[in-house]
Amino acid sequence: MTHPAALPCAILAVVLLAALSLFVGVTDIAPMDVLRGQADARQMQVLLASRVPRTLALVLAGAATAVAGLVMQMIVRNRFVEPSTTGTVESAGLGLLVVTVLAPGMPVMGKMLIASLFALAGTALFMRILRMVPLRDVLLVPLVGIMLGGVIGAVTTFFAYRFDLLASVGAWSMGDFSGVLRGRYELLWLAGALAVAAYAAADRLTLAAMGRDFTTNLGLNYRSTMVLGLIIVSLVSATVLVTVGVIPFLGLIVPNVVSLMIGDNMRRTVPWVAVMGTGFVLICDILGRTIRAPYEIPIATMLGVIGSAAFLFLLLRRRHHAAP
Amino acid sequence: MRMKLGAVLGGLCLAVAGSVSAQSITIPHRQGEVTLDSRPERVVVMDWANVDNLDALGVSILGVPGSNAPEYLSKFRSDDYLKLGSLQEPDVEGIAAADPDLVIVAARSRQSQPQLNRIAPTVDLSIDNDDFIDSVTANITELGEIFGKEDRAAEMNAELRSKVDRLHDAVQGKGRALTLVTSGGKIGVYGPESRTGWLHKEVGFPSVLDDVDDRSDRGDAASYEFILETNPDWIFVVDRDTAIAAEGGQAAAALLDNELVHQTTAWKEGHIVYLDPQKAYIVMNGYQAVSDLLDQVYEAVTADS
């Protein structure tokens, strides 16, 4: 059990991180100057056109990616999955490639929709495979997902190679916030809204996570709840992919950490997952902007390094306390 | 029996004649040296810069890479030329079957040199970015000697030198430059050590930065704030996606069209130059590519003076 003040404290910490994020960058902007109104026009422009959008994008993408990971774990009923290990992100990437080849001029919203449809189809395929294969070991589920993702990724790579688009695919698969500017990230508000939707549907998703029979007995439509979860996961994956690229590991680690802390009731965990996802992404991005300043290290690299270490720690820790 | 004897005698005569007329050629290259018994005639080139060089020298080529052929070398896309793998991965079996008497690798294919050298004499003509123009002209001179086109090689090199000198004079007092590479909606920066470093080192354009190396072919990741703060007088853009996909070409321009880049001197003065992406990114150091890039920059720099 956590202390009642824990969540407000965590939120405060993330707000402070977000404030710090506003003042990290190539241009020198002092917080006091801005508060006193002494910042010059150029500093204000950098703040409004680059810093604020970047911080908002980090908050929205971080929260939504982590929550999408949680929802994925709920609907698959497995703790070791997230959209980038179940074929969802790979399918969205394939969709994005198809749009790029067939209708390169399509507006971003259209691209995102097509990517979402592919993500939906890929995730549904994953669920279908899970239902057909009797899986006794929990670790087989992520393995199946990783294999499916590998197959879809291979198809994407093949066509990207054929159409000379390997570079674009490489860029999508590398999450990076350096290109975020006013006017270039707003799609992420949709991802944020979906995280809120996940919160609203938290009770239903928690029930659905307990299985089809249990859910049906309680008078809840299992199928529509699953579809809702799938739509949240697919849309979040597609919006984040289209705007900043793949953010790996986040959806896996954060829900696991939160589950260790406060259990599995989604109504209670969603705020925590959102807050910790945001904090994690903010820390990684601030470090990525600082280590090689004035150049940047993409967030995907930072998360890959920090995230894989954190995940190993989680796994090894669990082994210690293993209660079969 | 008589026929056999004839064949042996004939062979002997040919061998003697051959050893008299041909002198062996030793070619030093980046990974050692190879010795040829005679002037090569069946030449496989796994690098567009050297296809460019040989084409300009007027040497005929047997096989080329099957990928990324730049527009100005599009004649090599035809079936008259063997396609021997991609720029990065030579088709070893295809090269063996083509039975070449010289294989040229460089840059992206240079790691195949030891393997290909077991099939046919293979030279690595990669250039040295630290010594760009000298390296390019040294390659041209060497190719001229191998194929007996020394005069044409000297002519080409003289032309390159004069273009470098002309541009060097033209950039004096024109301010500082930044080279960007755009890829998949992201921007990276290239510095004096990179594949476009010759703009700074050889042509003498002062760079806005001096600590970037080309460890990644997309440059070091940077934000728009970085461009705003370094405030270059000139921005040279290498659109990597267009170089590879050879389509569109608006991607980089759309990326840079934003309120932070609008604040830079380069944008205000209209000093953003989109380098021919295939010549700057794919070919990089062939005679025609370098010559055209030197012209392109010269025209941009002298346009408003």
Side-chain angles (χ1 to χ4, degrees), chain B residues 87-131:
Chain B
L87 207 44
Q88 283 84 4
E89 285 177 78
D91 168 8
V92 180
E93 285 182 33
I95 291 174
D99 189 27
D101 34 39
L102 180 65
V103 179
I104 298 174
V105 294
R108 298 174 177 92
S109 53
R110 59 178 306 195
Q111 274 156 358
S112 309
Q113 193 272 343
Q115 189 186 12
L116 292 175
N117 200 36
R118 274 178 252 144
I119 297 169
T122 302
V123 294
D124 172 7
L125 297 186
S126 300
I127 63 118
D128 179 2
N129 264 335
D130 288 339
D131 214 356

Side-chain angles (χ1 to χ4, degrees), chain B residues 253-276:
Chain B
L255 267 185
L256 291 180
D257 185 2
N258 66 61
E259 52 186 314
L260 294 190
V261 175
H262 290 178
Q263 302 294 311
T264 60
T265 309
W267 181 277
K268 289 179 190 156
E269 308 265 318
H271 288 170
I272 299 193
V273 183
Y274 297 91
L275 296 176
D276 180 312

Side-chain angles (χ1 to χ4, degrees), chain B residues 13-302:
Chain B
C13 288
L14 273 178
V16 170
S19 70
V20 168
S21 73
Q23 73 232 57
S24 67
I25 307 173
T26 301
I27 311 172
H29 64 96
R30 295 283 291 245
Q31 300 181 48
E33 61 175 44
V34 301
T35 304
L36 305 179
D37 298 332
S38 61
R39 231 180 253 307
E41 275 163 8
R42 300 172 62 82
V43 188
V44 164
V45 188
M46 294 310 297
D47 166 63
W48 288 116
N50 283 295
V51 173
D52 171 323
N53 286 338
L54 290 180
D55 190 47
L57 284 167
V59 174
S60 67
I61 298 174
L62 177 69
V64 295
S67 69
N68 303 99
E71 205 52 48
Y72 76 101
L73 295 173
S74 60
K75 73 172 183 191
F76 292 99
R77 290 174 192 164
S78 87
D79 292 336
D80 299 343
Y81 301 90
L82 297 175
K83 304 295 175 302
L84 299 167
S86 75
L87 207 44
Q88 283 84 4
E89 285 177 78
D91 168 8
V92 180
E93 285 182 33
I95 291 174
D99 189 27
D101 34 39
L102 180 65
V103 179
I104 298 174
V105 294
R108 298 174 177 92
S109 53
R110 59 178 306 195
Q111 274 156 358
S112 309
Q113 193 272 343
Q115 189 186 12
L116 292 175
N117 200 36
R118 274 178 252 144
I119 297 169
T122 302
V123 294
D124 172 7
L125 297 186
S126 300
I127 63 118
D128 179 2
N129 264 335
D130 288 339
D131 214 356
F132 186 79
I133 298 292
D134 279 349
S135 211
V136 172
T137 53
N139 263 358
I140 293 172
T141 305
E142 185 162 336
L143 290 171
E145 282 166 9
I146 298 170
F147 294 98
K149 307 268 184 185
E150 290 89 344
D151 294 349
R152 173 70 183 132
E155 193 181 300
M156 283 156 60
N157 285 341
E159 196 189 326
L160 279 182
R161 297 265 179 219
S162 81
K163 285 188 177 181
V164 172
D165 292 344
R166 183 179 75 154
L167 185 54
H168 193 276
D169 293 342
V171 304
Q172 299 308 314
K174 295 284 182 180
R176 302 170 314 147
L178 173 66
T179 312
L180 296 177
V181 55
T182 64
S183 177
K186 317 264 164 71
I187 54 169
V189 293
Y190 278 159
E193 305 301 324
S194 74
R195 70 180 72 198
T196 56
W198 53 270
L199 269 171
H200 311 296
K201 283 186 171 173
E202 314 260 350
V203 167
F205 233 130
S207 169
V208 297
L209 33 98
D210 46 24
D211 55 347
V212 176
D213 58 26
D214 192 16
R215 75 181 68 189
S216 136
D217 59 5
R218 290 162 212 176
D220 270 328
S223 59
Y224 295 103
E225 261 178 55
F226 176 85
I227 304 178
L228 175 67
E229 281 305 311
T230 52
N231 191 22
D233 301 292
W234 292 85
I235 296 179
F236 296 98
V237 184
V238 178
D239 186 344
R240 181 171 180 268
D241 294 348
T242 308
I244 292 170
E247 51 157 79
Q250 295 305 304
L255 267 185
L256 291 180
D257 185 2
N258 66 61
E259 52 186 314
L260 294 190
V261 175
H262 290 178
Q263 302 294 311
T264 60
T265 309
W267 181 277
K268 289 179 190 156
E269 308 265 318
H271 288 170
I272 299 193
V273 183
Y274 297 91
L275 296 176
D276 180 312
Q278 292 179 328
K279 287 168 187 155
Y281 190 83
I282 304 286
V283 184
M284 294 189 288
N285 51 57
Y287 159 77
Q288 258 172 94
V290 174
S291 175
D292 290 354
L293 288 170
L294 287 167
D295 284 347
Q296 194 190 352
V297 177
Y298 180 79
E299 272 158 34
V301 171
T302 53

Side-chain angles (χ1 to χ4, degrees), chain A residues 1-323:
Chain A
M1 271 298 122
T2 50
H3 195 274
L7 186 60
C9 284
I11 292 175
L12 183 67
V14 166
V15 169
L16 289 177
L17 274 175
L20 176 63
S21 159
L22 286 177
F23 297 101
V24 173
V26 185
T27 307
D28 277 326
I29 304 177
M32 287 318 287
D33 286 353
V34 176
L35 290 176
R36 288 198 206 114
Q38 285 171 349
D40 62 24
R42 183 157 124 174
Q43 288 172 322
M44 286 311 287
Q45 189 182 26
V46 168
L47 193 68
L48 295 178
S50 169
R51 300 288 175 81
V52 172
R54 183 166 186 153
T55 302
L56 283 174
L58 286 162
V59 169
L60 293 169
T65 306
V67 169
L70 174 66
V71 173
M72 190 83 213
Q73 292 174 8
M74 287 294 192
I75 58 181
V76 178
R77 301 170 68 189
N78 187 296
R79 209 152 267 311
F80 295 100
V81 296
E82 67 143 4
S84 71
T85 62
T86 53
T88 310
V89 170
E90 288 83 356
S91 307
L94 180 60
L96 200 48
L97 180 73
V98 168
V99 189
T100 310
V101 171
L102 296 181
M106 191 183 267
V108 180
M109 207 63 186
K111 286 184 178 167
M112 196 239 19
L113 276 178
I114 306 276
S116 305
L117 288 177
F118 272 78
L120 209 54
T123 320
L125 178 64
F126 173 65
M127 306 288 287
R128 172 124 212 158
I129 295 173
L130 285 191
R131 234 179 299 143
M132 287 189 309
V133 188
L135 297 166
R136 296 213 175 77
D137 190 332
V138 286
L139 284 177
L140 276 178
V141 175
L143 276 183
V144 167
I146 289 167
M147 279 193 281
L148 178 67
V151 172
I152 297 170
V155 173
T156 308
T157 308
F158 175 76
F159 284 105
Y161 181 75
R162 284 276 151 153
F163 292 100
D164 283 333
L165 285 169
L166 278 177
S168 309
V169 173
W172 301 330
S173 56
M174 194 77 173
D176 180 3
F177 285 84
S178 65
V180 171
L181 282 181
R182 181 156 65 189
R184 294 189 184 173
Y185 80 100
E186 282 74 0
L187 205 56
L188 285 173
W189 284 104
L190 183 58
L194 288 161
V196 175
Y199 183 59
D203 288 340
R204 288 206 261 162
L205 287 165
T206 307
L207 286 182
M210 296 184 182
R212 175 188 287 270
D213 297 342
F214 189 84
T215 316
T216 315
N217 278 338
L218 286 173
L220 188 66
N221 188 332
Y222 179 74
R223 206 181 165 76
S224 68
T225 309
M226 294 300 268
V227 168
L228 176 70
L230 284 179
I231 288 176
I232 291 174
V233 169
S234 305
L235 275 174
V236 168
S237 302
T239 38
V240 174
L241 181 76
V242 171
T243 34
V244 294
V246 181
I247 305 179
F249 278 114
L250 193 68
L252 187 64
I253 301 159
V254 173
N256 272 293
V257 172
V258 171
S259 160
L260 285 176
M261 281 167 41
I262 60 170
D264 288 331
N265 181 340
M266 248 190 94
R267 183 159 287 281
R268 296 190 57 227
T269 54
V270 167
W272 273 104
V273 168
V275 166
M276 291 188 62
T278 305
F280 202 9
V281 167
L282 280 169
I283 290 172
C284 287
D285 189 66
I286 290 170
L287 285 176
R289 273 187 276 175
T290 327
I291 292 174
R292 286 201 68 222
Y295 316 110
E296 302 197 1
I297 300 172
I299 195 141
T301 312
M302 295 300 301
L303 264 169
V305 173
I306 300 177
S308 46
F311 188 55
L312 274 179
F313 174 76
L314 264 179
L315 277 182
L316 297 175
R317 216 185 91 108
R318 287 201 138 199
R319 178 74 50 84
H320 268 298
H321 301 280

